[in-house]
Amino acid sequence: MKKQPAPLLKFATKAAPLHKRLGNAQKAGFHHAELFLTSTLLENWKDVADIAGDHDLSYGLHFPNRAPLTRKHLKKAVKLYHRLNCESMVIHRPMFRLYAPDLLNLDPKLCLAVENHRLNPQNFWHWAENYQWLTLDVEHLWKYTLKQAPLPTLLFTLKKFLKRHGHQVRRVHLPGYEPGSKEHRPIHSNPRLGRKVFTALAKINYQGLVVSETRPALQTPELLRKDVIFFQNWQKKRLAKIKK
């Protein structure tokens, strides 16, 4: 039986670039974080870079969700991207339409990973087929595209998507969602979902960030630590299975 490659997932938390948030993440055992940006934070991009540099974490960026942004904002976003050695930057479709030409003019090699949001099934596949790089938000897929269908339906769609478009995925958002729950819960809140998605990503040799996209009120040291332990337990079992 052919052995699968070892898991190369980079498990991350999503956080504001604040000392307390990033410090809590590092203490909990995270090695990676996705930084959510605003126009105000971009205006002070050097402070953001300094705060991020004070913590032993690697970073991905999430481009601001709201316009307007000036060309100076865009230049600072590109500078922060390079200062933090980012591999990709999440961007929503409306912001991509507004700002991608100028961002790519500033740096043609910038990896802008466009996120799926409130898409019906037809538009979901259209999104996947029409952007070079993608951010897959599993919660959005389940809640908005599949209308909270049973978990097997989500997993079937996920595997189909990864088979067709996994090579385009540069970021994954994976909250612990389940039908009827609030959005942006820690991934350990739905362990079956987490394990299934981690395994599906590992099977395609995905090497990007997998972000437990948790709302700020739930980013406590205790819950962050539970997320890390959950991921570590999955990783140990996955590696043990591969070695057999």
Side-chain angles (χ1 to χ4, degrees):
M1 182 176 177
K2 187 177 179 180
K3 291 185 178 180
Q4 297 287 347
L8 296 170
L9 311 183
K10 299 174 184 177
F11 188 51
T13 184
K14 184 175 182 178
L18 302 172
H19 280 295
K20 183 176 180 179
R21 297 288 188 190
L22 298 180
N24 284 343
Q26 185 176 329
K27 289 176 184 177
F30 279 98
H31 299 290
H32 315 280
E34 177 181 289
L35 300 182
F36 185 81
L37 300 175
T38 64
S39 59
T40 301
L41 288 169
L42 286 178
E43 289 168 5
N44 301 287
W45 76 274
K46 289 184 179 179
D47 293 337
V48 172
D50 289 343
I51 291 170
D54 287 340
H55 300 88
D56 190 17
L57 299 165
S58 76
Y59 299 99
L61 300 181
H62 192 304
F63 192 75
N65 288 341
R66 295 184 179 183
L69 297 171
T70 67
R71 188 166 177 82
K72 286 185 177 180
H73 287 125
L74 303 186
K75 287 181 177 180
K76 291 176 179 181
V78 173
K79 288 179 179 179
L80 183 62
Y81 181 98
H82 289 295
R83 176 71 66 86
L84 298 181
N85 297 312
C86 296
E87 296 177 350
S88 62
M89 180 158 57
V90 179
I91 187 167
H92 287 190
R93 291 188 306 147
M95 303 301 278
F96 184 90
R97 288 194 292 268
L98 287 172
Y99 299 115
D102 286 337
L103 286 166
L104 294 172
N105 180 262
L106 290 167
D107 182 359
K109 294 183 179 180
L110 203 65
C111 179
L112 299 177
V114 183
E115 183 177 350
N116 60 303
H117 200 248
R118 297 175 183 262
L119 303 177
N120 63 32
Q122 181 180 354
N123 287 337
F124 175 79
W125 294 109
H126 185 268
W127 156 79
E129 292 161 1
N130 283 275
Y131 293 103
Q132 181 179 12
W133 308 120
L134 306 174
T135 293
L136 173 65
D137 191 301
V138 177
E139 182 173 76
H140 293 167
L141 171 60
W142 199 357
K143 181 174 182 177
Y144 299 119
T145 303
L146 299 178
K147 302 297 183 183
Q148 308 191 82
L151 180 60
T153 302
L154 169 68
L155 297 175
F156 175 82
T157 305
L158 176 68
K159 290 175 183 178
K160 180 180 177 181
F161 167 80
L162 292 177
K163 183 177 181 180
R164 292 183 181 180
H165 301 286
H167 63 285
Q168 297 164 249
V169 177
R170 290 296 179 270
R171 191 81 55 86
V172 175
H173 287 171
L174 184 60
Y177 184 72
E178 59 184 359
S181 73
K182 291 184 178 180
E183 294 184 54
H184 297 161
R185 304 191 309 164
I187 185 54
H188 71 266
S189 301
N190 191 340
R192 188 179 178 204
L193 172 68
R195 287 191 291 266
K196 291 289 187 180
V197 176
F198 287 153
T199 300
L201 292 169
K203 285 182 177 179
I204 67 162
N205 202 32
Y206 174 72
Q207 300 181 34
L209 297 181
V210 182
V211 185
S212 180
E213 194 182 20
T214 305
R215 58 185 182 271
L218 299 179
Q219 292 177 15
T220 65
E222 295 78 15
L223 294 178
L224 289 169
R225 182 58 186 160
K226 284 184 178 181
D227 260 4
V228 170
I229 291 172
F230 172 73
F231 175 74
Q232 290 174 340
N233 287 340
W234 168 83
Q235 193 171 48
K236 287 177 184 177
K237 290 179 181 178
R238 176 73 181 165
L239 289 170
K241 185 176 181 180
I242 291 169
K243 291 177 181 179
K244 288 182 179 180

